[in-house]
Amino acid sequence: MPSICSIAKQGVSAALSAALVLQALPLAAHAQPVGLPSMGAASSAELSPMLERSLGEAIMSQGRRDPTYVDDTELSQYLTTMGRKLAAYSPGAVPEVEMFGVRDPEINAFAMPGGFIGVNTGLIVASASESELAAVLAHEIGHVVQRHIARGMTQQNQNSMVMLASLAGALLAALAGGGGNLAMGVAAFGQAAAINRQLGFSRDAEREADRAGFQMLTKAGYDPQGMSDMFGRLMNASRLNEGMGGGSWASTHPLSIERMSDVQNRARSQPPTRHVDSDDFWYIRAKMRVVQGRDAVSLRSAAQQLQDEARALSGVRKSAAYYGLALQALQRNSLAEAERNWTLASEDGRSSPQLAKLSVDIALARKDNARALELAQAASKRWPDRRALGIAYAQALQNSGRHAEAQDYLRGKIRQWGADEPSLYQMLAQSQERTGKPVQARRDMARYYTQIGAFAAAESQLQQARGMSSDFYEQSQIDVQIKEVRDKLAEERQLLERFKSG
């Protein structure tokens, strides 16, 4: 059914690029506040928390369709769970944090308006412990808590206004769609990368984020030494990459001896804490090592690193290394190799949600739908909170031709997770189409497109649905949906036009 599925592949790279533009907005030193946060009239009047959140959502609407966006339910749930755990101990009000992955080997993370935080796969892979990863996320949440982005954006200087106008223009182009606007999106990405290399948060803003982040890190139960260790690792990496044009986290969040000393002193002042890394961390880390591979060289390097870890390590870390090798084999459709590595990862009866999901994926790849369904059902019952397993079970139902059951199951999961998992509506639409419900299929596909910010595609699906229906009551409901989509599109355009005009 091309009218439902083909449009999902459309979009441009403007949004995550624009996110980096926006990341750069508050970075110039003269645009940063001094001292602890005391939000003045400009910030509260010109960029309220609600408006800031709306701007973040507008960026994410396009960013979720960017090729570098890691559309991986396991990663998103892991990062967002960690982020919200940290934010629960923030020293001030913070919007609901949403973390997302970016396929990039550079060690980087960045905060955007409204609590959206991008995390490079390179940062996850480089983290030697869960506390090190949590330290960087806590620091980024610290920028959100202190509202450094909002405060930088509302400074009335030429640079920030030009950058903000560029951001809004790129997003408006992405909303409009079309081949001509694709070039504009690419141009925005180049501008964003250049700004990101050249600018950094001020010393005062970085110290504020360090202190807020350290408080969150320790209160959430992570090892405070993790921040000191990660900052030291990043400082060394920054020195090694000097002159190479790299855009690592340390270059956009300049690490100084003073900051290092302050973090080290704070860590020493804390009572000894031993945080045990979760199994999730090691499996997600191995997965991201595979995910970030873009070419034959990087994929071979990832395989060698995983093989070295599998030989040298034990316990969950050994299992995670074999898990990564199994994932890579599955990507190549080497199913026998994937199965062998999965068996090695599962030695001694070891189990995890990630291993369970991989076993389902291997069975689906073998077209053994009965086995996939059996495995997915057992795993989703054992780990009912894991969204990836719930989605896998629904997929197994669909592949087994049990679309009526899939619809009932998906509706239940939409009630439970719908706001965070747009793909559930997409899957529901596919099953409805297969069971002769084309009108409802397009209405639910429109809900999927609305959630990911593809408003024009959503309206197209609704117009198709209206043309297929002969029921006046149903047509009236669809008319309401069309108006809601048009209103959302108009609101987003108005928001971006406001920022574009400065």
Side-chain angles (χ1 to χ4, degrees), residues 104-134:
D104 192 321
E106 285 187 343
I107 304 172
N108 207 1
F110 54 93
M112 300 195 314
F116 297 96
I117 296 175
V119 182
N120 278 18
T121 54
L123 173 64
I124 300 169
V125 171
S127 298
S129 71
E130 195 165 33
S131 293
E132 288 189 9
L133 175 60

Side-chain angles (χ1 to χ4, degrees), residues 15 24 47 58 82 94 100 124 141 148 243-244 280 296 314 341 364 400 405 409 426 429 468 470 493:
L47 193 62
M82 176 184 281
V94 61
F100 61 95
I124 300 169
I141 296 170
H148 291 152
M244 296 176 64
D280 286 343
S314 60
N341 283 309
L364 289 172
S400 300
E405 291 176 64
Y409 181 79
Q426 185 180 35
M468 291 176 174
S470 58
R493 281 179 174 154

Side-chain angles (χ1 to χ4, degrees), residues 53 57 60 64 75-92 94-100 114-117 119 133-134 137-138 140-142 144-145 216-217 219-222 385 387 416-421:
R53 181 73 180 184
E57 288 173 347
M60 288 303 298
R64 291 188 183 97
L75 175 67
S76 299
Q77 187 171 12
Y78 172 74
L79 289 176
T80 296
T81 298
M82 176 184 281
R84 290 176 183 174
K85 178 181 178 181
L86 291 163
Y89 297 97
S90 68
V94 61
E96 188 171 60
V97 171
E98 181 176 327
M99 306 278 183
F100 61 95
F116 297 96
I117 296 175
V119 182
L133 175 60
L137 301 193
E140 294 301 328
I141 296 170
V144 174
V145 172
M216 286 181 270
L217 188 74
K219 288 189 174 181
Y222 294 100
D385 63 319
R387 296 173 190 164
Q416 187 177 358
W417 301 329
D420 296 318
E421 292 296 337

Side-chain angles (χ1 to χ4, degrees), residues 167-219:
L167 163 69
L171 291 176
L172 282 165
L175 274 180
N181 291 316
L182 179 60
M184 189 180 298
V186 173
F189 181 81
Q191 179 188 16
I195 294 168
N196 191 42
R197 284 194 299 269
Q198 295 171 12
L199 301 177
F201 279 115
S202 74
R203 289 189 297 272
D204 292 300
E206 291 297 351
R207 281 195 293 267
E208 287 181 2
D210 286 346
R211 292 165 187 169
F214 189 87
Q215 176 178 323
M216 286 181 270
L217 188 74
T218 54
K219 288 189 174 181

Side-chain angles (χ1 to χ4, degrees), residues 1 14 51 64 74 100 150 209 270 307 333 356 375 406 408 478:
M1 185 179 57
L51 187 59
R64 291 188 183 97
E74 288 177 318
F100 61 95
Q270 294 294 313
Q307 287 165 1
N333 202 36
L375 291 169
D408 290 340
I478 295 170

Side-chain angles (χ1 to χ4, degrees), residues 12-26:
V12 298
S13 299
L16 279 181
S17 309
L20 293 173
V21 173
L22 190 55
Q23 177 193 0
L25 289 178

